[in-house]
Amino acid sequence: MTVNDERVDVNVTEKVDATENVTDASQKTSQKIIDLIKEDPCISTSKMAEIIGVDRRNIARNIKKL
């Protein structure tokens, strides 16, 4: 294995770890959305975004996936 091969392996591993972190964050956001809707079925995406601390478009995207 050459030095270049090792660099590729490390970069691939780092990308996988980053993807897992994004997935975890998305799952946590989705759960928070579900919890907020349970508390207030009429809550707006803007209000959820304000409470959770993410962009309203992020909330809408998560709701669409749910």
Side-chain angles (χ1 to χ4, degrees), residues 16-30 62:
V16 169
D17 290 343
T19 301
E20 288 174 2
N21 289 339
V22 169
T23 302
D24 290 344
S26 179
Q27 289 175 344
K28 288 178 183 177
T29 300
S30 294
N62 273 274

Side-chain angles (χ1 to χ4, degrees), residues 10 12 16 23 52 60-61:
V10 171
V12 169
V16 169
T23 302
I52 296 172
R61 191 171 35 252

Side-chain angles (χ1 to χ4, degrees), residues 7 9 13-14 23 33 43 46 61:
R7 287 185 186 154
D9 290 341
T13 301
E14 289 173 3
T23 302
I33 291 169
I43 192 168
S46 297
R61 191 171 35 252

